[in-house]
Amino acid sequence: MSSNKKMLFLPGDGIGPEVMSQVRHVIEWMDKRRHVSFDVQEDLVGGAAYDKHGTSLADATLDIAQSVDAVLLGAVGGPKWDNVARDARPEAGLLKLRKEMDLFANLRPATVIPALAEASSLKTELVSGLDMMIVRELTAGLYFGQPRGVSINADGIREVVDTQRYTEAEIERVVRVAFDLAGQRNGKLTSVEKANVMESGVLWREIATTVGKDYPDIELEHMYADNCAMQLVREPKQFDVIVTDNLFGDILSDCAAMLTGSLGMLPSASLGAPDSDGRRKAMYEPVHGSAPDIAGEDKANPLATILSYAMTLRYSFDMAEDANYIEQAVQNVLANGLRTGDIMQPGMTLVSCTQMGDAVTKELDKLAA
Ligand code: NAD
């Protein structure tokens, strides 16, 4: 059916197609019960694209990704492509998508679902009710700065350099995304850098402070990255939104992920700059990989991908109520004791990927009744 809500599905490799097919069922439910239809195209990425086109992202696929409102990606990679040339490998397709779409703000929620609070590596009382968001700068900083590389210095020994480089504009745009998010959430933003020892940290702090003047209702605090790592495992509930650079964001978002207990539960979003209509390019994907060890066995946990679709509704389609429905349905299914293998606990009921997806749509039926 034709719709003004255009999405591109890129299931990818391994468990990608299995978890994405469960999102299809949720979309069918949205069509039937909420009378919201999406125009969904599907294409190849990663190893699947390499097998067909000899490249992990065909130009035509990138063109579609650039033209739709949101891309939903499953996962890429697997041992089958381990010996493929680096620039044709599955992961290269994913990196190219992020770069070409200029998806500079990576949103990584760390939400502890009540039924899974005991799966956290921290004490239940520290994480129960945790609901925070890390905004990581994704397209600049240490992972992209020039110069970089190994050379032989004047003493004839090897030396290596990586460069942390940010323009004012690159810092400002990601900080603004984080302020906007804090405004939609609990109104607190923690800007994280190392202004005590890094020049980039000094500029980051200065810009965050200046941008903060446009957001008088948001409480802005600055924190050094090392302290932030400590606070995340000491008292994580003090945070609402954290914004930080590419390197610190990489590390801190993985640390925050572990507070929630399982990789199979974690969604993410990557957003670009708004165009003149306020529409941002966006890609949504679960944090986990293609899990080749269980691919094709109907054992994967589809919830991270279903929750990534909920993020799509919230951030690309301004459909917070529908996103809440889906998030509540996921919570209820878990509260009812259903578990895929990765989150299995004693006394719970082991279900397949398909059964978990079916349970979510059944819960949606109950919520909408
Ligand atoms: P992985 O996330 O694929 O798997 C790690 C472990 O977690 C495995 O035991 C796997 O079975 C389990 N797991 C992951 N997701 C699960 C889910 N939804 N349900 C149940 N169990 C789940 O990480 P890996 O093993 O390091 O990487 C495998 C492949 O995935 C590699 O080729 C890697 O490059 C790729 N990868 C892709 C992405 C991505 O597409 N964004 C991210 C990470 C890794």
Side-chain angles (χ1 to χ4, degrees):
M1 184 191 292
S2 160
S3 157
N4 60 354
K5 296 181 175 54
K6 298 197 185 319
M7 290 186 69
L8 172 63
F9 269 30
L10 296 174
D13 309 318
I15 60 169
E18 298 167 49
V19 293
M20 290 285 275
S21 72
Q22 300 312 314
V23 176
R24 284 271 185 192
H25 295 151
V26 177
I27 288 195
E28 282 158 21
W29 184 91
M30 293 284 293
D31 194 4
K32 214 165 54 199
R33 297 299 302 265
R34 303 280 292 170
H35 308 294
V36 185
S37 60
F38 292 84
D39 181 352
V40 180
Q41 299 183 67
E42 188 164 314
D43 211 335
L44 303 174
V45 70
Y50 177 82
D51 287 347
K52 178 145 188 225
H53 303 298
T55 170
S56 51
L57 181 70
D59 289 344
T61 310
L62 178 59
D63 287 346
I64 302 171
Q66 299 271 27
S67 70
V68 294
D69 299 304
V71 177
L72 188 65
L73 184 137
V76 297
K80 183 178 175 195
W81 303 281
D82 275 354
N83 298 320
V84 168
R86 178 174 281 272
D87 60 352
R89 288 182 63 147
E91 293 76 9
L94 183 53
L95 293 179
K96 186 169 174 192
L97 264 172
R98 290 179 182 150
K99 183 163 178 290
E100 295 294 324
M101 292 172 74
D102 198 14
L103 303 174
F104 62 86
N106 183 220
L107 278 50
R108 291 269 302 261
T111 309
V112 170
I113 293 181
L116 294 182
E118 283 178 18
S120 172
S121 49
L122 293 193
K123 292 191 196 96
T124 307
E125 65 265 27
L126 282 181
V127 294
S128 152
L130 177 71
D131 177 10
M132 60 174 290
M133 173 83 80
I134 297 193
V135 181
R136 166 189 172 191
E137 200 292 323
L138 201 60
T139 53
L142 197 70
Y143 295 171
F144 295 94
Q146 295 291 339
R148 59 184 287 151
V150 180
S151 59
I152 308 287
N153 73 11
D155 297 325
I157 57 170
R158 284 187 303 164
E159 66 176 32
V160 65
V161 62
D162 287 297
T163 301
Q164 166 88 323
R165 184 183 295 274
Y166 272 109
T167 66
E168 284 185 79
E170 285 165 343
I171 299 172
E172 183 181 334
R173 63 183 186 171
V174 72
V175 166
R176 280 197 186 277
V177 168
F179 269 110
D180 287 339
L181 277 172
Q184 293 163 21
R185 294 171 47 96
N186 294 326
K188 183 176 172 196
L189 177 63
T190 307
S191 172
V192 172
E193 25 62 11
K194 279 197 63 87
N196 50 343
V197 287
M198 292 173 74
E199 297 303 324
S200 56
V202 175
L203 187 63
W204 186 284
R205 185 172 286 218
E206 186 189 311
I207 291 172
T209 305
T210 306
V211 173
K213 298 203 170 100
D214 293 342
Y215 296 86
D217 297 335
I218 308 290
E219 178 196 342
L220 171 66
E221 71 172 352
H222 302 280
M223 193 176 279
Y224 296 141
D226 45 346
N227 184 28
C228 182
M230 199 166 70
Q231 296 299 331
L232 271 176
V233 290
R234 197 184 74 92
E235 198 195 334
K237 283 188 266 184
Q238 70 185 283
F239 296 110
D240 179 19
V241 179
I242 289 175
V243 63
T244 189
D245 72 15
N246 203 341
L247 171 71
F248 296 142
D250 191 2
I251 297 164
L252 295 173
S253 62
D254 271 7
C255 176
M258 279 328 291
L259 303 176
T260 68
S262 172
L263 209 58
M265 295 299 307
L266 293 168
S268 78
S270 302
L271 307 179
D275 63 16
S276 53
D277 300 327
R279 175 184 161 270
R280 290 178 188 277
K281 290 205 173 94
M283 181 158 77
Y284 300 84
E285 52 186 311
V287 168
H288 62 73
S290 60
D293 52 334
I294 56 166
E297 296 180 18
D298 199 21
K299 285 182 179 165
N301 182 347
L303 297 180
T305 314
I306 291 174
L307 291 171
S308 298
Y309 171 65
M311 287 187 87
T312 313
L313 298 181
R314 193 180 297 283
Y315 296 115
S316 282
F317 297 113
D318 202 14
M319 294 168 64
E321 193 190 343
D322 299 83
N324 288 340
Y325 261 116
I326 293 169
E327 287 160 359
Q328 189 61 53
V330 166
Q331 292 204 15
N332 292 357
V333 164
L334 294 167
N336 294 341
L338 302 193
R339 299 285 187 274
T340 42
D342 58 313
I343 51 173
M344 187 58 192
Q345 291 163 305
M348 301 292 147
T349 309
L350 182 66
V351 295
S352 67
C353 180
T354 312
Q355 287 168 326
M356 187 59 106
D358 288 348
V360 171
T361 44
K362 281 204 190 88
E363 270 312 310
L364 283 167
D365 272 338
K366 283 192 214 157
L367 287 169

